[in-house]
Amino acid sequence: MKIKRETKVTDEIPTASMADVSFLLIVFFMITSTFAATRGLDFSLPEQEDNPPVVEKEESVLIEIQPGGQLLVDGTPMPLDGVLEYLRPKLERNPLKPVIIRPDPASEYGYMVDVFDELRLGAEKGVEVKNISIPTQREIQAFWF
Amino acid sequence: MKLKAAKKNQAVIPTASMADIAMLLIIFFLVTFQIEVDKSKVALPKTGIQVEIPKKSAYVSITEPGYIRVSSGEEISVQVPSADEVFSFASGLVARAPDKAFVLKADRNVPYRIVDEVIDALKRANVRNVFLLSDEEPRAAGG
């Protein structure tokens, strides 16, 4: 009788399906991940103080934002791109001159961001505004002179 | 003389490296994957200044009709009835982590009154780091 030789089983990890599994995972991540906005404008809030420093009206520059987006800088209508040039001589005399942004409650949020961004961009144009303040309505009612 | 039969070359697409490429792609997605905690649709303001927002920041979003949603940065945002709720929400987070960053994701067309109430609530809750979420404004060439 002829005895059949035992077939040799080789040790092997089956990797044939690895590419399929990997591609399924890739499809999952591609579908669930979103291109969310993760950048923005930093906006540090001051610490709450019981006795905040009083800024005299004459010492500061007041930028009022009206409902349509028009700007009144120290009471004078001004386009957004003229604000930095207006501030330049004042900041040369006093680099810490406070600039107060006061948006009208009925104005749109986007206009406030536009003004704030313009002032922050001033550093690149040689007009660095170091002291920007955006008081809230509660603070205006409590401390406004 | 015996002629050798021509060897037949089989057409094969090499797939040995496919698993490696797939794994690299998976690693890329795993590293960049971030759960979007707030899916509210807003038209963000555009800014020239853009800084990277820290991961796991808390979110306060304001959509155009004035709806306010909050998220601690670890779970999906929930709607709150008013800015006063933002104060209690932010106070709780700041009590646990004083340096917690907050992201204000507001629609550019929303009335400033609502944003003012939210900023005031964050100020009262002693929040220090606030980021105004924005889209990048294309800069004019040459400055």
Side-chain angles (χ1 to χ4, degrees):
Chain A
M1 197 183 109
K2 204 176 178 184
I3 296 170
K4 222 177 175 183
R5 189 182 274 178
E6 221 172 78
T7 50
K8 214 174 183 181
V9 179
T10 52
D11 297 334
E12 208 172 77
I13 298 169
T15 53
S17 61
M18 192 186 272
D20 304 329
V21 175
S22 308
F23 275 105
L24 275 176
L25 280 169
I26 289 171
V27 170
F28 165 76
F29 280 118
M30 284 182 79
I31 291 169
T32 54
S33 67
T34 47
F35 290 99
T38 56
R39 293 169 76 84
L41 198 56
D42 54 320
F43 181 72
S44 301
L45 297 179
E47 285 192 29
Q48 284 281 1
E49 289 177 57
D50 293 331
N51 298 308
V54 176
V55 177
E56 293 301 325
K57 204 171 184 177
E58 300 76 40
E59 284 178 11
S60 61
V61 174
L62 177 65
I63 302 176
E64 291 170 277
I65 304 171
Q66 295 189 314
Q70 297 89 354
L71 301 182
L72 287 179
V73 184
D74 286 339
T76 312
M78 197 174 287
L80 181 60
D81 51 13
V83 173
L84 285 177
E85 283 313 309
Y86 174 80
L87 290 175
R88 188 186 293 273
K90 293 175 185 290
L91 291 169
E92 277 168 5
R93 282 197 297 276
N94 177 10
L96 294 175
K97 194 169 191 69
V99 178
I100 300 168
I101 303 173
R102 192 180 166 186
D104 188 287
S107 68
E108 290 167 5
Y109 163 69
Y111 296 128
M112 183 280 268
V113 177
D114 289 344
V115 174
F116 187 53
D117 187 46
E118 178 74 5
L119 295 183
R120 293 286 306 277
L121 282 170
E124 294 177 10
K125 298 170 185 170
V127 190
E128 191 180 359
V129 189
K130 291 178 179 163
N131 201 348
I132 305 171
S133 168
I134 309 175
T136 62
Q137 284 302 308
R138 181 182 60 86
E139 289 169 333
I140 289 169
Q141 281 160 15
F143 305 114
W144 203 251
F145 27 84
Chain B
M1 197 181 108
K2 203 177 178 184
L3 287 175
K4 225 178 177 180
K7 223 179 184 180
K8 216 174 183 182
N9 276 337
Q10 273 193 321
V12 175
I13 299 169
T15 54
S17 60
M18 193 185 275
D20 304 328
I21 296 166
M23 280 294 171
L24 277 176
L25 280 169
I26 288 173
I27 290 166
F28 166 76
F29 279 114
L30 274 169
V31 170
T32 57
F33 185 70
Q34 220 180 325
I35 297 169
E36 197 180 9
V37 291
D38 184 79
K39 289 182 191 286
S40 47
K41 297 271 173 259
V42 295
L44 292 172
K46 289 185 180 351
T47 60
I49 300 271
Q50 289 256 298
V51 294
E52 196 66 36
I53 290 168
K55 282 186 179 177
K56 299 210 172 167
S57 298
Y59 269 73
V60 180
S61 69
I62 310 169
T63 52
E64 202 184 343
Y67 298 130
I68 304 171
R69 298 181 71 88
V70 293
S71 163
S72 68
E74 282 163 15
E75 70 271 342
I76 300 299
S77 62
V78 288
Q79 193 171 325
V80 291
S82 68
D84 287 335
E85 296 293 320
V86 176
F87 168 69
S88 43
F89 161 77
S91 302
L93 284 180
V94 170
R96 287 198 298 274
D99 292 329
K100 181 86 177 171
F102 279 70
V103 178
L104 183 58
K105 178 185 172 184
D107 193 291
R108 62 172 174 250
N109 299 316
V110 85
Y112 185 72
R113 176 185 56 78
I114 303 167
V115 179
D116 180 84
E117 287 169 3
V118 169
I119 292 175
D120 193 59
L122 295 177
K123 274 186 179 178
R124 283 187 288 129
N126 285 321
V127 173
R128 299 276 161 273
N129 303 319
V130 178
F131 293 85
L132 308 177
L133 197 69
S134 64
D135 282 333
E136 189 173 8
E137 188 166 44
R139 303 231 189 154

